[in-house]
Amino acid sequence: MIALGGVEPGAWSLHEIGNSAAAPRAICVHDPRLLLQLVHGPAQCAQYVIEDQPNRVTVQYRCPGQGYGRTTIRVEDRNLIRVQTQGLMKGAPFDFDYEGRRTGKC
């Protein structure tokens, strides 16, 4: 995916937009494709690329027995991204909008 090539691996801090009470989520990103399944994590999911542009990618995915999701990542630069993800995880809906900033190495 073209846009994910512009995401620098390392430690990232994800701040949920519109929820100032939520603590930032710290993650180590070795492979930027992991950002596509923030809720479903490393589950084995079938992914379908909907949009693949130099600064934006949208992927829809299905995880057997766990649910599904749709994620859009907009790459502002190598150290700043916006992640919008929504779907269903084990019967419960989710809808998150994050700003992600690279904070250093893992």
Side-chain angles (χ1 to χ4, degrees):
M1 288 164 255
I2 300 167
L4 295 182
V7 176
E8 187 74 26
W12 284 78
S13 179
L14 300 177
H15 301 269
E16 188 177 350
I17 296 171
N19 186 355
S20 59
R25 180 175 173 181
I27 61 171
C28 181
V29 176
H30 295 289
D31 181 350
R33 291 177 295 179
L34 296 176
L35 294 166
L36 295 168
Q37 292 180 201
L38 286 173
V39 175
H40 289 91
Q44 296 297 313
C45 306
Q47 295 183 349
Y48 308 95
V49 178
I50 307 298
E51 176 184 29
D52 191 12
Q53 302 294 322
N55 68 338
R56 183 182 176 104
V57 62
T58 299
V59 171
Q60 189 163 318
Y61 62 90
R62 283 203 170 279
C63 309
Q66 293 197 25
Y68 58 87
R70 181 182 177 112
T71 301
T72 297
I73 298 175
R74 189 176 72 224
V75 179
E76 302 295 335
D77 64 40
R78 296 185 67 77
N79 299 306
L80 177 64
I81 59 174
R82 174 117 181 229
V83 180
Q84 296 169 296
T85 187
Q86 61 182 350
L88 199 65
M89 172 62 155
K90 295 185 179 177
F94 64 89
D95 187 357
F96 297 107
D97 193 2
Y98 293 107
E99 177 182 83
R101 291 187 183 273
R102 187 174 182 277
T103 58
K105 294 183 179 185
C106 296

